[in-house]
Amino acid sequence: MKILYALRRFVPVFTLGLALASCSKEPAAPAGAPQLVVGFSQIGAESEWRARETESIQKEAAKRGIELKFADAQGRQENQIKALKSFVAQGVDAILLAPQTKLGWDNALLEVQRAGIPVVLVDRGIETKDESLYATLIASDFVEEGRVIGRWLAEKTGGTCNVVELAGTVGSDPAIERAKGFAEAIAAFPGIRVLKSQPAEFTRAKGKEVMEAFLKAEGDAIQAVYAHNDDMALGALQALEEAGKKPGVDVLVLGIDAAKPAFTELVAGKLNALVECSPLLGPLAFDAVEKVLRGESVPKRTLVPDRLFDASNAAEELSKREY
Ligand code: AHR
């Protein structure tokens, strides 16, 4: 069985690594020891967040002396499925998967499971009939992120506002859950009306394009924009400026991620609120991989905590941002 193979390769390295931990700060595998090989199927590079997540996972692999086989799916689930098959063929010890969409993974993951390779989901969850197909999910609570933004909007507008929504990739976990959380939070405020909601693929370019269409259709009626991520919020900001409006003043702009480029605009007052969603998942992901390969139990889900930033706390945070 592959899992036994992984354990055979991994346990001596890990035990020796622990023994050496007191003399060295670098937990890299000792010279000559078999190196752990992990495949990472990444969605693509659609956003600042995604780039920071890739970086975090690559850095952490290097720090731990793990060989990382990185596959960029360029935004296509079929490429991620091909990557999973190729990781099986290459005989990796474990797989990290950031799944683009919620559905459509069972057959591919079954093949991986049959090869005895454990899968750790990072960033996004999947819907499956068989939860044993993956070991654990490490991600933020996307529903809560949407709720936090919805509550912020209700509070700041006294429960009366016309809002447009820039949604993430269709069928993806964050797009579904962030829409759900927001809708839930504003449900108690009939004065908050969602004038339009449309997918904009989590990218800045699409966010701008869709916002331009919203402005054409709704004009001055738009009082707020809720974007499912930073990049679309930044695209909306640009569209608003080009339409002669002052983002952050004439129209409230709200987003999720809170990475540096958007955070800087928050401090400048052009964005009004950002909910954090940390992409720094490398350490948690490899802790989980190592535990699973040692045969230790891991929780089915590890929640990454998020905070809300607005004009009240953004400036003091800016210099401390890690991403
Ligand atoms: O799954 C996390 C989301 O995906 C981030 O919020 C977004 O920026 C990214 O593309």
Side-chain angles (χ1 to χ4, degrees):
M1 269 279 277
K2 174 76 196 168
I3 193 91
L4 294 178
Y5 168 70
L7 278 171
R8 215 177 44 237
R9 276 166 53 103
F10 185 63
V11 169
V13 175
F14 184 77
T15 315
L16 187 50
L18 274 186
L20 292 177
S22 52
C23 353
S24 156
K25 279 189 181 161
E26 286 302 315
Q35 201 183 15
L36 197 66
V37 181
V38 175
F40 173 33
S41 168
Q42 176 59 291
I43 295 167
E46 75 282 3
S47 61
E48 174 73 17
W49 189 99
R50 185 82 31 216
R52 299 287 75 79
E53 186 200 39
T54 296
E55 195 177 87
S56 168
I57 288 175
Q58 288 174 334
K59 262 192 184 166
E60 193 62 25
K63 192 173 153 194
R64 296 183 189 217
I66 291 171
E67 183 187 336
L68 189 72
K69 293 192 179 292
F70 177 70
D72 177 339
Q74 318 225 318
R76 298 166 76 107
Q77 186 186 30
E78 64 262 36
N79 288 343
Q80 291 202 277
I81 289 173
K82 277 186 202 150
L84 294 181
K85 287 177 189 290
S86 147
F87 293 151
V88 171
Q90 292 173 72
V92 298
D93 295 305
I95 291 174
L96 296 176
L97 169 64
Q100 193 205 25
T101 48
K102 270 191 132 168
L103 293 171
W105 296 100
D106 284 20
N107 291 341
L109 289 180
L110 190 62
E111 257 185 63
V112 175
Q113 189 181 57
R114 286 189 177 139
I117 302 171
V119 172
V120 169
L121 298 180
V122 284
D123 151 34
R124 297 182 180 181
I126 60 169
E127 223 173 278
T128 171
K129 281 193 212 114
D130 179 2
E131 299 243 308
S132 80
L133 291 175
Y134 67 93
T136 183
L137 161 66
I138 297 163
S140 291
D141 182 342
F142 296 139
V143 180
E144 185 57 20
E145 290 172 347
R147 281 191 203 115
V148 170
I149 287 285
R151 283 187 216 122
W152 187 96
L153 186 66
E155 194 196 311
K156 297 295 169 190
T157 61
T160 305
C161 182
N162 290 332
V163 58
V164 291
E165 181 176 17
L166 295 168
T169 309
V170 176
S172 70
D173 191 20
I176 295 168
E177 312 277 87
R178 287 171 183 168
K180 188 170 149 196
F182 182 74
E184 222 178 274
I186 62 167
F189 302 93
I192 297 189
R193 293 196 312 136
V194 180
L195 300 180
K196 290 250 179 312
S197 175
Q198 203 178 301
E201 296 165 13
F202 283 127
T203 69
R204 193 187 282 218
K206 199 72 190 170
K208 178 170 182 276
E209 188 187 309
V210 175
M211 188 64 202
E212 283 166 353
F214 285 169
L215 282 164
K216 233 183 220 164
E218 302 291 341
D220 292 343
I222 301 172
Q223 295 168 312
V225 186
Y226 164 42
H228 287 187
N229 83 342
D230 277 6
D231 299 73
M232 294 187 294
L234 290 171
L237 184 159
Q238 221 179 318
L240 286 164
E241 280 181 337
E242 286 176 18
K245 293 186 183 289
K246 273 190 171 175
V249 179
D250 299 333
V251 176
L252 299 173
V253 186
L254 321 171
I256 298 177
D257 285 347
K260 266 184 199 154
F263 212 92
T264 309
E265 298 297 359
L266 178 64
V267 173
K270 292 187 179 185
L271 299 184
N272 304 85
L274 290 173
V275 172
E276 195 175 46
C277 177
S278 177
L280 307 180
L281 303 179
L284 287 172
F286 287 108
D287 281 354
V289 164
E290 291 181 351
K291 277 189 180 162
V292 170
L293 289 176
R294 286 198 302 268
E296 289 175 24
S297 71
V298 287
K300 203 68 196 175
R301 169 144 202 188
T302 299
L303 266 188
V304 181
D306 302 319
R307 293 169 291 170
L308 169 87
F309 293 99
D310 62 9
S312 68
N313 58 355
E316 58 167 319
E317 170 73 12
L318 186 57
S319 62
K320 300 182 223 152
R321 290 310 285 164
E322 284 184 71
Y323 64 91

